[in-house]
Amino acid sequence: METFAEYILNEKDYMKKLGIMYFLEKKADIFFNNSVVFKSCLAKLFIEKENLDVDENLVVTACMLMRM
């Protein structure tokens, strides 16, 4: 069985990743609200606009899980 980290990192679709976070918010006491969606969306748009050579999936996932 895969771990939570493997599960969320293996999901490449942004909307499905948001769905996972929403579901896990209630089950695993993970912080998830509008600021998380906004922060991850900004990161995703910035990476796409600037054509940065980074792993977009990893950065967006980190933004979703970072609690600030």
Side-chain angles (χ1 to χ4, degrees):
M1 177 164 229
E2 62 186 359
T3 64
F4 166 70
E6 292 169 335
Y7 180 63
I8 196 157
L9 280 171
N10 287 336
E11 181 57 61
K12 304 294 184 198
D13 184 76
Y14 180 69
M15 295 306 290
K16 289 181 182 177
K17 194 177 290 270
L18 286 175
I20 292 168
M21 290 295 295
Y22 177 76
F23 176 77
L24 289 175
E25 171 196 22
K26 302 190 182 323
K27 298 290 182 184
D29 193 33
I30 292 175
F31 180 75
F32 183 75
N33 67 8
N34 292 342
S35 68
V36 172
V37 176
F38 184 66
K39 179 175 42 177
S40 63
C41 186
L42 280 177
K44 183 174 174 22
L45 291 172
F46 182 76
I47 291 168
E48 290 172 357
K49 176 75 174 161
E50 296 299 319
N51 295 321
L52 299 178
D53 187 26
V54 296
D55 184 355
E56 181 181 324
N57 184 43
L58 184 63
V59 173
V60 169
T61 303
C63 287
M64 288 181 181
L65 295 173
M66 191 181 326
R67 190 172 187 159
M68 285 177 62

